[in-house]
Amino acid sequence: VVFDSDVVPYRFNESLKNWTSNGEDIVLYERIWNTEIAAGNYIARNNPRARSFLREWSKFEYEMPPAPAFSSSDNGAIHLHVRRVVGLEGSEEGYCGQLYHNLTATVENLVPYYQFVECSRQNMTAGRMNAADGSGLTLRLLGKAEAWVVDGVFDSFKPDEFGPVFHHGVKSPFTADAIQKYDLNLTVKQNEVSCGTHYAPFCSMCVIDLQTGEWIGESWCNGDCTWIEGVCVLIK
C-alpha cells in the first residue's frame, strides 16, 4: 500500500484487508470531490504485472508536457496510462492523449487540465478492469468514498461505520485546530471554511472556482483564511 506524505490514520479499528483481499494487481480510487483519479495513494501487489504497470507509469516523466504547463505530474499521467493499459487509448494517440500532450496552461488556469481529466474518464467507470495486452494484469478503480483513504474534510462516516481508514490532505501542523478539522480524535469536525464571500472544503481551495477549475488567486482568500507566501492557509 503506497501513501502520500500528507496522510494520517484515524479509524483504527478498520483493516486494510477490506481493500487488499480482492486479488487485483493495482487498486486506484476516484477523488470524492471531482472525477480525477488519485495518484498519491494506491495498492500494488508485489508481482511482475504490477511492477511493469508502475514502471510504465514512471516513464511519463519523459512524456508529460514541459513546464510551465500544468499536467499534475503523476496524477495527470495515471489517467492516460490506465486508458492505454485497458485499451481505451490505442497505440496511435487518441483525442484524450492529444489533450494531454497539448497542455500549455499554467496552474493558474486549470480548465484545460480538467478537460483532459473529463475526457480520460469517458468509458472508464469504477469497477474491475483487465489489461488489453493479455498480460493478465487486473485493475480496480474504486468509486467516490469507497477507498481506504479520503480527503479528510469530506468524510461524513461515523467512527463505528465501515469507511476510510486514513485522511488525505493533512498539511497543517498537529495543532488543536488541525486535530479538530480532520477529526483525528474522532470528534465533530469542520466541513468547510469561509473564504470571505464563499465557502470551500479547505483554504487552499478558496482560490479556485470549483465550477470551472479556474485559478482565481489571492483575492478569493479571505474569511477564515489568509494569504501567506503565495498560499491560502487557515488563520491560526
Side-chain angles (χ1 to χ4, degrees), residues 122-180:
Q122 292 179 18
N123 303 318
M124 189 198 298
T125 57
R128 185 182 174 104
M129 296 176 280
N130 298 312
D133 62 1
S135 64
L137 175 78
T138 57
L139 301 93
R140 181 171 294 276
L141 177 60
L142 299 173
K144 297 183 186 301
E146 295 180 354
W148 61 99
V149 59
V150 67
D151 288 333
V153 292
F154 291 99
D155 185 4
S156 61
F157 293 95
K158 296 178 181 178
D160 57 350
E161 292 179 328
F162 172 76
V165 179
F166 296 86
H167 273 170
H168 172 246
V170 184
K171 302 181 186 296
S172 306
F174 280 89
T175 62
D177 289 342
I179 290 172
Q180 180 179 6

Side-chain angles (χ1 to χ4, degrees), residues 45-58:
R45 292 196 175 275
N46 186 13
N47 62 36
R49 296 184 301 273
R51 292 196 293 271
S52 176
F53 176 91
L54 298 178
R55 281 194 297 270
E56 293 303 310
W57 183 15
S58 71

Side-chain angles (χ1 to χ4, degrees), residues 196-208:
T197 58
H198 65 291
Y199 292 86
F202 34 89
C203 289
S204 61
M205 291 179 64
C206 283
V207 298
I208 300 173

Side-chain angles (χ1 to χ4, degrees), residues 2 20 34 81 95-96 105 113 115 126 128 143 180 189 208 213:
V2 177
T20 61
N34 63 15
H81 183 40
Y95 180 64
C96 297
Y113 172 72
Q115 288 175 337
R128 185 182 174 104
Q180 180 179 6
K189 60 184 169 300
I208 300 173

